[in-house]
Amino acid sequence: MHPHVELKQQLAQKKEEENDKVDWFAELRGLALMLFAVLAFHSLVAKPFYIPSTSMMPSLHVGDRLVVSKYPYGWSWASASFHLLPRGDWRIFGSTPEYGDIVIPVHPTRDEDYIKRVIALPGDTIEVRDGRVILNGTPVKREVVPPVRIPFEPELMCENGPCLTAFENYRVRDESGAEYFEPPTYRETLPNGATYLIIDHVDQSRTRSGANDLDNFGPYTVPEGHVFVMGDNRDESADSRAPAQARGLGGGIPLENIGGRAEFITFSLDGSATWNPLTWFSAMRGDRAWTTLRPAIAESGERASETAE
């Protein structure tokens, strides 16, 4: 073989081998950029959220997956996913939630996200007496409505065991043999007309370790730059009524501690799903997908203060 031809073949082979080599730096840089983009989207625009407890029933069930938007109240340290930023009292383009918004407050001392409903705004005086919310001296409108029907899902597990044991006294069976819980249900309407369902099934809420009776609280004036939040399942929610050391939120929530607003449910699983992908479809609660979490607004004539029960 001619030496010139052989040299050309060797050079071509060497170039081909170089082209076959993986550029690990470029690969890692691409992966880092992708992760940064996902983190930025989660921190600045929206992120998924999972419901692990019954504190917001009937609006939210254990197993619901939802979307939380990050921008409605501006951005702060609480906006960053995984709480990567140090705590601080700063906000960018900050605004105040409205009555009835479902928000994501962070615990005052632990980096744990909660999900609760805004009941009182800065400067409001809130009181709870025998489970009734009194806002600025006026009882919030509360009406008795037909009980919500919550499916009996024995495989649904929470931190301390089966999720729905607190409703056991309200378990019923329909004509088809299906079992449900039907706890006492009320419709509450706030001053701006935001209206939603709550469950209040215990006359005198059981006392948690170090906690006050949740059915009786205040009066408490919400400081400026704070909001007061409560769970819709009033007897099963560690919220602004409960001290921080009792896993509650310890009063008003600083606005910079709110990481976003719940918008809608994407899908929901009933607890029966396993690692087998076939069970994922049977565990779907199809009727909950794409449910909005923004409260309905009552007509002005329906916003009267107190209603007899």
Side-chain angles (χ1 to χ4, degrees), residues 30-48 70 79-82:
L31 179 61
L33 288 174
M34 182 183 67
L35 292 176
F36 177 78
V38 171
L39 181 62
F41 186 87
H42 278 206
S43 300
L44 300 176
V45 182
K47 75 168 187 176
K70 292 301 189 79
S79 305
S81 290
F82 311 110

Side-chain angles (χ1 to χ4, degrees), residues 142-214:
R142 190 169 93 160
E143 306 166 274
V144 178
V145 296
V148 291
R149 176 170 279 194
I150 301 169
F152 174 58
E153 297 169 336
E155 296 169 301
L156 198 64
M157 302 300 290
C158 289
E159 183 179 4
N160 297 318
C163 294
L164 302 176
T165 53
F167 298 145
E168 193 60 36
N169 291 339
Y170 306 102
R171 187 163 18 146
V172 298
R173 188 188 301 270
D174 66 15
E175 295 177 355
S176 69
E179 292 184 278
Y180 301 89
F181 298 104
E182 293 186 343
T185 308
Y186 305 86
R187 176 169 294 281
E188 206 167 68
T189 304
L190 294 173
N192 66 337
T195 184
Y196 47 87
L197 298 180
I198 67 168
I199 295 173
D200 190 1
H201 69 100
V202 179
D203 290 336
Q204 198 70 13
S205 179
R206 65 176 180 272
T207 302
R208 294 168 172 81
S209 176
N212 294 322
D213 170 18
L214 298 181

Side-chain angles (χ1 to χ4, degrees), residues 91 95-99 118-126 135-136 220-229 252-255 258:
R91 286 200 301 157
S95 62
T96 302
E98 298 180 1
Y99 290 118
V118 174
I119 301 298
L121 300 180
D124 285 344
T125 297
I126 185 170
L135 198 57
N136 298 320
Y220 171 84
T221 299
V222 182
E224 288 301 317
H226 293 63
V227 291
F228 193 93
V229 299
I253 309 298
L255 293 177
I258 293 178

Side-chain angles (χ1 to χ4, degrees), residues 274-296:
T274 68
W275 289 107
N276 182 352
L278 296 177
T279 65
W280 302 350
F281 298 98
S282 61
M284 285 279 186
R285 301 179 181 126
D287 59 332
R288 298 194 59 75
W290 310 113
T291 302
T292 180
L293 298 174
R294 305 287 289 131

